[in-house]
Amino acid sequence: MSGRRKESAVIISQEGIALDIYSMWIHTEKIAESAVPGQFISMYTKDGSKLLPRPISLCEIDRQKSGIRVVYRVTGTGTGTEQFAKLLSGDTIDILGPLGNGFPLDVTENTGKNTKDCRAMLIGGGIGVPPMLELAKQLNTEKIMVMGYRDQQFLRTEFQKQGSLYIATEDGSAGTKGNVMDAIEGNGLSADIIYACGPAPMLHAIKRYAEEKSIVCYISMEEKMACGIGTCLACVCQSKEIDGHSHVHNKRVCKDGPVFLSTEVEI
Amino acid sequence: MSGRRKESAVIISQEGIALDIYSMWIHTEKIAESAVPGQFISMYTKDGSKLLPRPISLCEIDRQKSGIRVVYRVTGTGTGTEQFAKLLSGDTIDILGPLGNGFPLDVTENTGKNTKDCRAMLIGGGIGVPPMLELAKQLNTEKIMVMGYRDQQFLRTEFQKQGSLYIATEDGSAGTKGNVMDAIEGNGLSADIIYACGPAPMLHAIKRYAEEKSIVCYISMEEKMACGIGTCLACVCQSKEIDGHSHVHNKRVCKDGPVFLSTEVEI
Amino acid sequence: MNTTVNLAGIELKNPVMTASGTFGSGEEYSEFVDLNRLGAVVTKGVANVPWPGNPTPRIAETHGGMLNAIGLQNPGMEVFCARDIPFLKQFDTKIIVNVCGKSAEDYCEVVERLADEPVDMLEINISCPNVKEGGIAFGQNPASVEAITREVKKHAKQPVIMKLSPNVTDITAMAKAAEAGGADALSLINTITGMKIDVHRQKFALANRTGGLSGPAIKPIAVRMVYQAANAVRLPIIGMGGIATWEDAIEFILAGATAVSTGTANFYNPSVTVEIVEGIEKYMEKYHIENISDIIGMVK
Amino acid sequence: MNTTVNLAGIELKNPVMTASGTFGSGEEYSEFVDLNRLGAVVTKGVANVPWPGNPTPRIAETHGGMLNAIGLQNPGMEVFCARDIPFLKQFDTKIIVNVCGKSAEDYCEVVERLADEPVDMLEINISCPNVKEGGIAFGQNPASVEAITREVKKHAKQPVIMKLSPNVTDITAMAKAAEAGGADALSLINTITGMKIDVHRQKFALANRTGGLSGPAIKPIAVRMVYQAANAVRLPIIGMGGIATWEDAIEFILAGATAVSTGTANFYNPSVTVEIVEGIEKYMEKYHIENISDIIGMVK
Ligand SMILES: Cc1cc2nc3c(=O)[nH]c(=O)nc-3n(C[C@H](O)[C@H](O)[C@H](O)COP(=O)(O)OP(=O)(O)OC[C@H]3O[C@@H](n4cnc5c(N)ncnc54)[C@H](O)[C@@H]3O)c2cc1C
Ligand SMILES: Cc1cc2nc3c(=O)[nH]c(=O)nc-3n(C[C@H](O)[C@H](O)[C@H](O)COP(=O)(O)OP(=O)(O)OC[C@H]3O[C@@H](n4cnc5c(N)ncnc54)[C@H](O)[C@@H]3O)c2cc1C
Ligand SMILES: Cc1cc2nc3c(=O)[nH]c(=O)nc-3n(C[C@H](O)[C@H](O)[C@H](O)COP(=O)(O)O)c2cc1C
Ligand SMILES: Cc1cc2nc3c(=O)[nH]c(=O)nc-3n(C[C@H](O)[C@H](O)[C@H](O)COP(=O)(O)O)c2cc1C
Ligand code: FES
Ligand code: FES
């Protein structure tokens, strides 16, 4: 018993950063201390009608200030995320974390290349954009960042500070018109390792692209969750290898993931 | 269709006035405009696990400021009233009202006596004390007020402004040691009309006392409620006469009451 | 945009109705909602004679729902016909009378009394968990569901809706039995038998010990049963159980309900019925649905 | 103050256990709670061979509860015996293994395999609504409940708990059938079959269409069934269904449960089990209860 607990954490600040997109800083020593990019937290409402967690990725981790940042989308009216959006600084929020494995930061181990020779491509799509920010901050190598949005962009200035940023928008309002794959092809981008988070069709395309080009590729997956810690077996994805838990082909997104080698999972 | 609605009203102020007893002023033009003493409102939590109303009597009605005051007890941990107690001024609360019939203010009609010759006794026990305050303020006659508490008193100074106040406390910390009946007997009090609100055993004793002495007596009853407006038939009490709604002997506390002539109901 | 639905030959202007026992005969809620906006008003259960109901406490709050053991208090059919029907006739909505009884004869007596009244449909409650005789006893066994349906149908002039109990192993068996007995439509679900104990007083929360569970808590069970019944019989189904939003109403319609009723939600949102009517219209607009009846049972 | 209870001859240090499938084999939650504090750990269902479970989405949130259709994914008895039993043996708590199967033979194979393992009790899941064969099919008919119980008892060395389905008309008939078949104890309730439809995508929320409803929403139904079963048979009962606080646990004990299990609540409050243990102790102190077993079934 390590004493991990669901904690009632204080909200440092919250603001809307785009239509239906909110950014919240939460004070939590425990999580800020140990978390790595790509991990997530379970966020809970105080409404007894909504008992399950909302898994939300860490967008930034501030060890100094014992803070974590989450950026999330309000998915509709009457949702849990809508309730989160109403919270103000000083309010508390119940959270559990850090959860999951996170992105591997050691590019050499993954590509065989020196840090200075290695080029990493970070791809985010929609609400998969936020976790790429802390990854970009911690990744100690050349970075190409490709972020795809429907229309409104967010976190753009933060990314620009971290390296070369390419934008794709579905409506063509900025960057390449189309999706992240269009931006990659349109700009002739290439890399030695890929990190990606976004909707399933995007991950599917990236997985194919990476495998065709034999690029090591890590993707962060999504599934509905109940426990968030690997017990309930709600959040499985189909894995190539027999999984360590149930000895079938079902890896748990919450515990064995959310980050998987693209070759490891089906999508 | 008169257009009555459950409304989301703004809390003007809230304070604890005794251990677990809270006083809340709520801004509501509609209710403040039309309410009479002895009526109540249904208060709702925002927690989807607690859907039913908490019926709470009006303690004061301020037409000028469009405000109503409720004084309520937090009955335990995890309760709806506990959630109300956490609300702050500026927060909203869902309410429905005014509900019920209220106390009849016309003493002449009830006793045959002129206002100046008539003495009314207002009896409150525990959390039945608050509704007596607005009644005292609006009752245009001589008033004797007998308020019973377990230990802690509340609203005492407010009552003192309205006439002669007698206190009973169960622990003897103030006034007569015992209950309101002990205070009435101990102080040799008498009256032409009685108004009472409090726990069932107290109402039972007062009903007997009033009937023995042939004093007109109005009591405010309690029962669990769902609709609060007379539809669901949850909140019935046994009435002497056949009731107008179902033609049995069940009057609805929420609509036919909460105030009944003591001779009208069994308790 | 066409929101009308056909319920066993009766055309409702929209599929939104009230659940029996939660809306009286409409009078109290007419202060909050325009009854003309509703597809139908379903009345509180009516017996041949006045019923006093159960002792109090009759209700208890539960997580996301409530228990009730009202015990079908009602003034009997004569007061009902003299007072409640004329009240409802003032409005442009259909009148569905919920009928309760302790024996087949009781039900038939009420059904006959209503034969020449301006009532559009009859809903036969064979599923009330809160009365000793009659009620649920009729609704938990296919043979008795079929028998009581057949008996009632003999005496009924209006289309007959059988209201089924969810307290059964297989709802499709009951639905088929009602169909075999000649029912014109089905209502489901009635409440699910439940219990609450007050741990501090160490007593039952309800005087009746058990009560019927209703409200959003039971919605997934109700949707499942409506889906199962809709795929087992050809009768139109009135779906209910925890409906509190227009999304809930659409969920039941997609599962196979021709109409929907709101019960417990009225208690905490008195204007819920009309909000649902409006929500359904917006949904149809958003998803370009011409006729609401096109999406009945669409999810298969 | 004595919190021990006797469950078919097995003494638990307190009545608080975990509900199968919500606590794995304890490893993940051992980070949050000290397993030594629990009366027993009930494991996820174990089959004779690995089961892959159902496609995703496997769960959906509902008002005050959740639907699941995990489909009994498990590594099979060999991995379980090699890995999970040794893990649990590190702790001073009882080990109850939940057993699932597609046929009587499957169940018996697992039960035999466990015969010489350091397992304290067996819980036979004849009530899972989420698998096509076996599961609930065994649990909805008294004759088959009795038959499977008798068959399992022939092969079992440890006391056998039959886990009953709430998806039945009369829970007492199933309880009596299990008793007649020789069961040593009963667990109830398993989940209630439910369904959710996503109205925007116009699709079932679960890949499996239906799932099992659990969580606080179902508690009143569970309390009622525990009460009914406790008053119908002499077997000790493990009560579950929506337990999330110590008050809930006491409610089940007052209704007749000898022990209680927490399922869904673990997911949103990982330390709930130990909080309940502590709450029960405070309750006993407050109301001067010497032995927790004195209040089992006290509300009648
Ligand atoms: C590992 C992981 C990281 C994520 N990171 C982010 C993030 O950084 N920012 C962000 O906006 N979103 C993120 N998501 C998606 C986010 O979890 C859902 O959008 C959110 O749970 C929806 O909740 P709601 O209250 O808005 O919707 P509701 O409709 O009220 O949700 C109902 C239930 O479904 C679950 N659910 C609904 N959609 C999803 C989904 N896409 N994935 C998992 N569960 C879902 C909810 O958690 C809840 O239990 C992440 C998902 C996962 C699995
Ligand atoms: C007409 C009327 C006027 C009242 N006026 C006041 C008042 O001015 N101040 C005050 O403190 N209390 C008053 N009460 C009692 C008050 O309604 C209950 O104390 C309160 O509802 C308890 O809610 P809870 O959230 O604390 O408890 P919970 O245990 O969470 O309540 C669960 C459910 O039981 C109901 N309930 C519990 N106790 C009672 C009760 N005694 N009467 C009716 N319903 C109950 C609740 O409304 C809720 O639906 C009044 C009751 C009635 C009927
Ligand atoms: C207080 C109350 C009274 C009820 N009375 C009746 C009744 O008289 N006849 C009947 O058939 N159903 C009755 N019901 C059941 C409802 O009509 C409905 O089937 C059930 O409550 C499920 O819907 P809901 O969850 O929307 O409330 C009653 C329900 C409640 C809550
Ligand atoms: C995700 C999940 C998985 C479950 N798996 C099993 C299982 O493998 N075997 C079993 O007998 N019951 C299983 N159950 C049922 C629970 O053990 C329990 O009976 C039910 O959930 C009611 O309790 P609760 O409301 O506290 O969750 C499962 C329940 C859930 C929610
Ligand atoms: S959410 Fe429970 S195993 Fe992943
Ligand atoms: S609370 Fe519904 S009739 Fe009084």
Side-chain angles (χ1 to χ4, degrees):
Chain A
M1 214 196 45
S2 86
R4 202 148 54 134
R5 277 191 160 264
K6 180 173 157 192
E7 59 180 309
S8 177
V10 174
I11 294 171
I12 301 168
S13 62
Q14 163 144 281
E15 51 173 347
I17 59 171
L19 183 69
D20 289 335
I21 309 283
Y22 289 77
S23 163
M24 183 192 281
W25 275 99
I26 302 169
H27 182 87
T28 160
E29 280 176 33
K30 214 194 54 190
I31 299 176
E33 216 164 66
S34 62
V36 299
Q39 285 191 305
F40 67 96
I41 58 171
S42 278
M43 294 173 65
Y44 299 86
T45 75
K46 293 206 171 88
D47 175 355
S49 72
K50 298 179 196 305
L51 297 171
L52 295 185
R54 273 64 186 159
I56 305 286
S57 297
L58 299 177
C59 169
E60 286 192 78
I61 303 162
D62 187 336
R63 294 228 155 95
Q64 261 71 50
K65 297 195 180 142
S66 296
I68 55 171
R69 183 188 190 186
V70 289
V71 169
Y72 63 94
R73 167 179 288 146
V74 172
T75 66
T77 57
T79 60
T81 47
E82 185 186 48
Q83 296 186 1
F84 297 151
K86 292 190 181 136
L87 297 173
L88 304 173
S89 72
D91 287 346
T92 59
I93 182 154
D94 287 351
I95 58 175
L96 178 67
L99 302 174
N101 56 359
F103 290 107
L105 297 172
D106 189 333
V107 293
T108 311
E109 189 185 308
N110 275 285
T111 63
K113 290 203 175 180
N114 278 338
T115 318
K116 65 174 167 42
D117 301 331
C118 179
R119 191 155 47 169
M121 193 187 295
L122 280 60
I123 313 176
I127 206 61
V129 165
M132 292 298 140
L133 182 57
E134 185 63 29
L135 176 64
K137 286 169 67 183
Q138 294 200 21
L139 210 57
N140 191 13
T141 180
E142 190 195 333
K143 278 157 290 199
I144 306 175
M145 290 164 296
V146 187
M147 300 298 143
Y149 304 93
R150 187 129 46 110
D151 37 27
Q152 301 180 88
Q153 303 159 57
F154 49 86
L155 299 178
R156 181 174 179 150
T157 47
E158 279 100 327
F159 276 106
Q160 276 167 336
K161 291 184 200 144
Q162 306 300 330
S164 358
L165 176 65
Y166 299 84
I167 300 280
T169 53
E170 279 176 36
D171 66 351
S173 57
T176 307
K177 182 174 160 71
N179 60 30
V180 290
M181 288 310 304
D182 297 320
I184 291 169
E185 278 156 32
N187 292 291
L189 306 177
S190 72
D192 304 305
I193 182 168
I194 293 176
Y195 299 94
C197 184
M202 173 188 122
L203 295 183
H204 178 76
I206 292 171
K207 175 181 154 80
R208 270 221 333 238
Y209 167 83
E211 285 165 23
E212 266 167 27
K213 307 235 167 188
S214 303
I215 307 173
V216 185
C217 173
Y218 285 97
I219 57 182
S220 178
M221 306 267 285
E222 267 192 24
E223 193 46 77
K224 300 254 150 94
M225 296 185 181
C227 71
I229 62 168
T231 301
C232 73
L233 309 180
C235 67
V236 298
C237 60
Q238 270 191 277
S239 58
K240 214 171 137 223
E241 307 285 316
I242 281 194
D243 65 276
H245 182 276
S246 298
H247 293 244
V248 284
H249 289 263
N250 286 338
K251 294 210 174 172
R252 296 162 298 180
V253 170
C254 70
K255 180 145 181 160
D256 306 320
V259 177
F260 295 98
L261 256 179
S262 70
T263 50
E264 210 183 343
V265 290
E266 285 181 26
I267 186 160
Chain B
M1 211 192 53
S2 86
R4 203 150 51 135
R5 275 190 163 265
K6 179 173 160 193
E7 58 180 309
S8 178
V10 174
I11 294 170
I12 301 169
S13 62
Q14 164 144 279
E15 50 172 347
I17 59 171
L19 183 69
D20 289 334
I21 308 285
Y22 288 78
S23 164
M24 183 192 281
W25 276 98
I26 303 169
H27 182 87
T28 161
E29 280 176 34
K30 214 194 54 191
I31 299 177
E33 216 164 66
S34 62
V36 298
Q39 285 192 303
F40 66 96
I41 58 171
S42 278
M43 295 173 64
Y44 299 85
T45 74
K46 293 205 170 88
D47 175 355
S49 72
K50 297 179 198 306
L51 297 171
L52 295 185
R54 274 63 188 159
I56 305 285
S57 298
L58 300 176
C59 169
E60 286 192 78
I61 303 163
D62 187 336
R63 292 226 157 98
Q64 260 71 51
K65 297 195 180 140
S66 295
I68 56 170
R69 182 189 191 186
V70 288
V71 169
Y72 62 94
R73 167 178 290 146
V74 171
T75 66
T77 58
T79 60
T81 46
E82 185 187 50
Q83 297 186 0
F84 297 151
K86 290 190 181 138
L87 297 173
L88 304 172
S89 73
D91 288 345
T92 60
I93 182 152
D94 287 352
I95 58 175
L96 178 67
L99 302 173
N101 55 0
F103 291 107
L105 297 172
D106 189 334
V107 293
T108 310
E109 189 186 307
N110 275 286
T111 63
K113 291 201 172 179
N114 278 337
T115 318
K116 65 175 171 32
D117 301 330
C118 181
R119 191 155 45 171
M121 192 186 296
L122 280 60
I123 313 176
I127 205 62
V129 164
M132 292 299 141
L133 182 56
E134 185 64 27
L135 177 64
K137 287 169 68 183
Q138 293 200 22
L139 209 57
N140 190 12
T141 182
E142 191 195 333
K143 278 156 289 197
I144 305 176
M145 291 164 295
V146 188
M147 299 298 144
Y149 303 93
R150 187 130 46 111
D151 37 28
Q152 302 180 85
Q153 303 159 58
F154 48 88
L155 299 178
R156 180 172 180 151
T157 48
E158 279 101 325
F159 276 106
Q160 274 166 338
K161 290 184 200 145
Q162 305 300 332
S164 356
L165 176 64
Y166 298 85
I167 299 281
T169 53
E170 279 174 38
D171 67 351
S173 57
T176 306
K177 181 173 160 74
N179 59 31
V180 288
M181 288 310 305
D182 298 321
I184 292 169
E185 279 157 30
N187 293 291
L189 307 177
S190 71
D192 305 305
I193 183 167
I194 293 175
Y195 299 94
C197 184
M202 173 188 121
L203 296 183
H204 178 77
I206 292 171
K207 175 181 153 80
R208 269 219 335 235
Y209 166 83
E211 284 165 24
E212 265 168 30
K213 307 235 167 191
S214 303
I215 307 172
V216 185
C217 173
Y218 285 96
I219 58 181
S220 178
M221 306 266 286
E222 267 192 25
E223 194 45 76
K224 300 254 150 96
M225 296 185 181
C227 70
I229 62 167
T231 301
C232 73
L233 308 180
C235 67
V236 297
C237 60
Q238 270 191 277
S239 58
K240 213 172 136 225
E241 307 286 314
I242 281 193
D243 65 276
H245 181 276
S246 298
H247 292 244
V248 284
H249 289 264
N250 286 338
K251 294 210 172 174
R252 296 162 298 180
V253 170
C254 71
K255 181 145 179 160
D256 306 319
V259 177
F260 294 97
L261 256 179
S262 70
T263 49
E264 208 184 341
V265 291
E266 285 181 27
I267 184 160
Chain C
M1 199 165 58
N2 177 7
T3 59
T4 60
V5 294
N6 182 309
L7 201 60
I10 306 297
E11 186 175 281
L12 311 184
K13 61 172 70 160
N14 63 55
V16 181
M17 335 198 314
T18 62
S20 176
T22 66
F23 210 77
S25 289
E27 199 197 324
E28 293 83 7
Y29 281 108
S30 68
E31 246 195 273
F32 296 88
V33 289
D34 180 357
L35 301 186
N36 296 301
R37 300 290 304 279
L38 305 184
V41 170
V42 182
T43 70
K44 173 80 187 162
V46 179
N48 52 346
V49 293
W51 285 14
N54 288 325
T56 57
R58 289 179 169 186
I59 58 157
E61 189 178 64
T62 68
H63 193 118
M66 64 178 282
L67 290 167
N68 92 77
I70 307 294
L72 295 174
Q73 175 179 331
N74 79 88
M77 61 191 183
E78 290 308 333
V79 172
F80 178 82
C81 290
R83 178 187 65 192
D84 298 21
I85 295 179
F87 171 80
L88 282 168
K89 280 312 287 175
Q90 299 170 268
F91 301 92
D92 175 25
T93 187
K94 300 298 176 191
I95 303 176
I96 302 180
V97 180
N98 183 280
V99 177
C100 56
K102 296 188 168 113
S103 64
E105 292 71 44
D106 284 0
Y107 286 107
C108 293
E109 203 182 324
V110 181
V111 165
E112 287 199 328
R113 175 66 184 84
L114 295 170
D116 298 317
E117 293 286 336
V119 159
D120 297 289
M121 301 182 89
L122 305 171
E123 183 183 65
I124 313 300
N125 178 6
I126 52 166
S127 43
C128 180
N130 301 323
V131 293
K132 286 221 175 53
E133 304 154 296
I136 203 168
F138 289 111
Q140 289 184 317
N141 171 310
S144 74
V145 170
E146 186 176 337
I148 189 96
T149 307
R150 182 157 290 135
E151 201 54 33
V152 166
K153 273 298 285 181
K154 274 190 212 150
H155 297 80
K157 276 210 185 150
Q158 295 92 343
V160 167
I161 306 160
M162 296 306 289
K163 184 157 178 184
L164 303 183
S165 170
N167 298 290
V168 296
T169 307
D170 180 6
I171 194 73
T172 65
M174 307 302 149
K176 287 177 187 161
E179 187 173 48
D184 301 292
L186 302 176
S187 268
L188 55 146
I189 60 175
N190 208 319
T191 54
I192 307 177
T193 310
M195 177 181 279
K196 181 175 174 176
I197 291 173
D198 180 325
V199 300
H200 296 289
R201 300 187 308 125
Q202 304 185 328
K203 280 173 75 172
F204 297 106
L206 299 179
N208 191 52
R209 297 187 180 189
T210 57
L213 185 65
S214 64
I218 67 168
K219 196 188 70 176
I221 303 172
V223 172
R224 183 260 296 181
M225 290 195 171
V226 165
Y227 175 84
Q228 289 178 324
N231 287 286
V233 296
R234 287 152 177 257
L235 303 178
I237 291 177
I238 303 160
M240 73 200 78
I243 298 179
T245 65
W246 64 262
E247 286 93 338
D248 297 337
I250 297 286
E251 192 177 354
F252 277 85
I253 294 170
L254 291 171
T258 296
V260 293
S261 293
T262 347
T264 304
N266 291 297
F267 300 153
Y268 58 91
N269 180 7
S271 49
V272 63
T273 41
V274 168
E275 288 172 17
I276 291 176
V277 172
E278 289 164 359
I280 289 177
E281 287 167 3
K282 291 216 185 84
Y283 179 84
M284 290 174 68
E285 216 170 282
K286 180 165 174 190
Y287 293 103
H288 310 292
I289 297 160
E290 196 56 40
N291 301 294
I292 189 72
S293 55
D294 293 344
I295 65 163
I296 296 171
M298 208 182 81
V299 174
K300 284 249 153 70
Chain D
M1 198 163 59
N2 177 5
T3 59
T4 61
V5 293
N6 183 309
L7 201 59
I10 306 297
E11 185 174 283
L12 310 184
K13 62 171 71 157
N14 64 53
V16 181
M17 338 199 311
T18 62
S20 175
T22 66
F23 209 78
S25 290
E27 197 196 326
E28 293 83 7
Y29 280 108
S30 67
E31 245 196 275
F32 296 88
V33 289
D34 179 357
L35 302 186
N36 297 301
R37 299 289 305 278
L38 305 184
V41 170
V42 182
T43 70
K44 173 79 187 160
V46 179
N48 53 345
V49 293
W51 284 15
N54 288 325
T56 57
R58 290 179 169 185
I59 58 158
E61 188 178 63
T62 68
H63 194 119
M66 63 179 282
L67 290 167
N68 93 77
I70 306 295
L72 294 174
Q73 175 180 330
N74 79 87
M77 62 190 184
E78 292 307 334
V79 172
F80 178 82
C81 290
R83 177 186 66 190
D84 298 21
I85 295 179
F87 171 80
L88 281 168
K89 279 313 287 175
Q90 300 170 271
F91 301 92
D92 175 25
T93 187
K94 300 296 174 191
I95 304 176
I96 302 180
V97 180
N98 182 281
V99 178
C100 57
K102 295 188 167 113
S103 65
E105 292 71 44
D106 284 1
Y107 286 108
C108 293
E109 202 182 325
V110 181
V111 164
E112 287 198 328
R113 175 67 183 82
L114 295 171
D116 298 316
E117 293 286 336
V119 159
D120 297 290
M121 301 181 89
L122 305 171
E123 183 182 65
I124 313 300
N125 178 5
I126 52 166
S127 43
C128 180
N130 302 322
V131 292
K132 285 220 177 52
E133 303 153 295
I136 203 169
F138 289 112
Q140 289 184 318
N141 170 312
S144 73
V145 170
E146 185 176 337
I148 189 97
T149 307
R150 181 158 290 134
E151 201 54 34
V152 165
K153 274 297 287 181
K154 274 191 211 147
H155 297 79
K157 276 210 187 150
Q158 294 93 342
V160 167
I161 306 161
M162 297 307 289
K163 184 156 178 185
L164 302 183
S165 170
N167 298 290
V168 296
T169 307
D170 179 6
I171 193 73
T172 65
M174 307 302 149
K176 286 177 189 162
E179 187 173 47
D184 300 293
L186 302 176
S187 269
L188 55 145
I189 59 176
N190 208 318
T191 55
I192 307 177
T193 311
M195 176 182 280
K196 181 175 174 175
I197 291 173
D198 181 325
V199 300
H200 295 288
R201 299 187 308 127
Q202 305 184 330
K203 281 174 76 171
F204 298 105
L206 299 178
N208 191 50
R209 296 187 181 189
T210 57
L213 185 64
S214 63
I218 67 168
K219 197 187 69 175
I221 303 172
V223 172
R224 183 260 296 181
M225 290 195 171
V226 165
Y227 175 84
Q228 289 177 324
N231 287 286
V233 297
R234 286 152 179 258
L235 303 178
I237 291 175
I238 303 160
M240 74 199 78
I243 297 180
T245 65
W246 64 260
E247 286 93 338
D248 298 336
I250 297 284
E251 193 178 352
F252 277 84
I253 294 170
L254 291 171
T258 296
V260 293
S261 292
T262 345
T264 304
N266 291 297
F267 300 153
Y268 57 92
N269 181 7
S271 48
V272 64
T273 40
V274 168
E275 288 172 17
I276 290 176
V277 172
E278 288 164 0
I280 289 177
E281 286 167 4
K282 292 216 183 82
Y283 180 83
M284 291 175 68
E285 216 169 281
K286 180 166 174 192
Y287 292 104
H288 311 293
I289 296 160
E290 196 56 39
N291 301 294
I292 190 73
S293 55
D294 292 344
I295 65 164
I296 296 170
M298 207 182 82
V299 174
K300 282 249 153 69

